[in-house]
Amino acid sequence: MSIKIAVFVSGRGSNLNAIIQAVEDGELDAEIVQVISNDPEAQALTIAAQHGIETFALSHKGIKRREHEDRILEHLKGLGTIDYIVLAGYMRVLSSHFLKAFRHEDGYFSVINIHPSLLPAFPGINGYEEAFNYGVKVSGVTVHLVDEKVDHGPILAQVPFPRFAEDTLDSFCARGLSVEHSLYPSVLQQIAEIGIEGLYLSKPEQRNREKTVKK
Ligand code: GAR
């Protein structure tokens, strides 16, 4: 089934680009309804426009988080069906107020994120740098459902990659980014094919929560 997604970005847009390429190459059965950014200057917006994808930018500067989120929610309402919000380097934490608008009947939020570490290690905005500086020998990339905590929620996929002795931070990041660029489109395609439910291993307490929400 084709999925309708809104991709949220804040910067460079290399993951957005990988998702667009996968759609254009027929490897990802998705429609990118719109690309949304909290930074009107984000390079990702230029990438979207070059591919004929509609964009919407609303800076978070000078307004309260609640107002920023409400204005984005209001905007999303006007776009019709959105199956999933796909965070691709969106560097704003989404509050539970925002997430509630995307609660699936099975209990999770239909919001997906990619993070440059093997979560729960190294959450936050500098995943590569922190893993590299820590001296890990193996790092990785995580795609997960978003919950109320930062870089947290049911894990959909993880792919490890090695850190070699001769690595610089740049070579380490480049290895990770190439993992991201193949992983994110492929997880989204799995979601299009089999849905979210088949992809995550829910914890007992989560299963209970899902049952409660279903009632
Ligand atoms: C990516 O490395 C992504 O995993 C990371 O931001 C980068 C965005 O790059 N996301 C996070 O750190 C989320 N906490 P991109 O704009 O080139 O896709």
Side-chain angles (χ1 to χ4, degrees):
M1 191 190 83
S2 184
I3 50 172
K4 288 181 189 259
I5 60 176
V7 184
F8 280 36
V9 296
S10 295
R12 180 180 52 186
S14 70
N15 277 288
L16 170 69
N17 192 54
I19 292 167
I20 294 173
Q21 290 302 333
V23 172
E24 290 181 352
D25 294 347
E27 288 163 10
L28 171 54
D29 192 9
E31 180 193 335
I32 304 171
V33 177
Q34 206 163 85
V35 171
I36 291 174
S37 182
N38 64 313
D39 180 357
E41 305 295 320
Q43 199 190 321
L45 293 173
T46 310
I47 295 173
Q50 281 166 349
H51 290 265
I53 299 166
E54 274 185 37
T55 63
F56 174 75
L58 178 65
S59 174
H60 60 278
K61 290 185 185 151
I63 52 176
K64 292 213 160 78
R65 180 179 302 277
R66 182 64 175 249
E67 187 189 340
H68 187 250
E69 291 187 343
D70 277 343
R71 284 174 63 183
I72 291 179
L73 284 172
E74 200 52 41
H75 174 77
L76 287 169
K77 270 192 208 153
L79 299 181
T81 305
I82 303 279
D83 296 312
Y84 299 100
I85 301 291
V86 173
L87 308 182
Y90 188 65
M91 296 310 195
R92 298 278 298 165
V93 174
L94 294 170
S95 74
S96 59
H97 168 70
F98 183 95
L99 293 173
K100 270 184 206 150
F102 293 94
R103 191 184 278 288
H104 188 273
E105 59 180 19
D106 283 343
Y108 58 80
F109 302 115
S110 300
V111 180
I112 303 159
N113 183 40
I114 188 161
H115 183 75
S117 74
L118 290 176
L119 290 173
F122 310 115
I125 57 170
N126 293 313
Y128 283 130
E129 200 172 340
E130 286 182 18
F132 183 83
N133 289 340
Y134 193 90
V136 298
K137 299 212 171 182
V138 175
S139 193
V141 173
T142 303
V143 176
H144 66 100
L145 287 172
V146 171
D147 69 11
E148 295 88 346
K149 297 182 199 155
V150 177
D151 296 320
H152 191 271
I155 288 172
L156 301 176
Q158 285 186 306
V159 170
F161 65 87
R163 179 253 178 88
F164 299 124
E166 64 275 19
D167 267 338
T168 60
L169 178 58
D170 280 353
S171 63
F172 179 73
C173 288
R175 190 171 306 116
L177 266 180
S178 77
V179 172
E180 292 191 46
H181 298 159
S182 67
L183 182 65
Y184 216 1
S186 87
V187 172
L188 293 173
Q189 177 56 18
Q190 279 180 281
I191 292 170
E193 284 172 16
I194 62 168
I196 288 278
E197 294 78 3
L199 289 183
Y200 69 90
L201 311 168
S202 55
K203 296 180 204 139
E205 69 270 25
Q206 201 174 312
R207 270 183 235 127
N208 291 339
R209 193 171 95 180
E210 285 164 14
K211 275 188 207 141
T212 317
V213 171
K214 264 182 186 169
K215 275 180 197 161

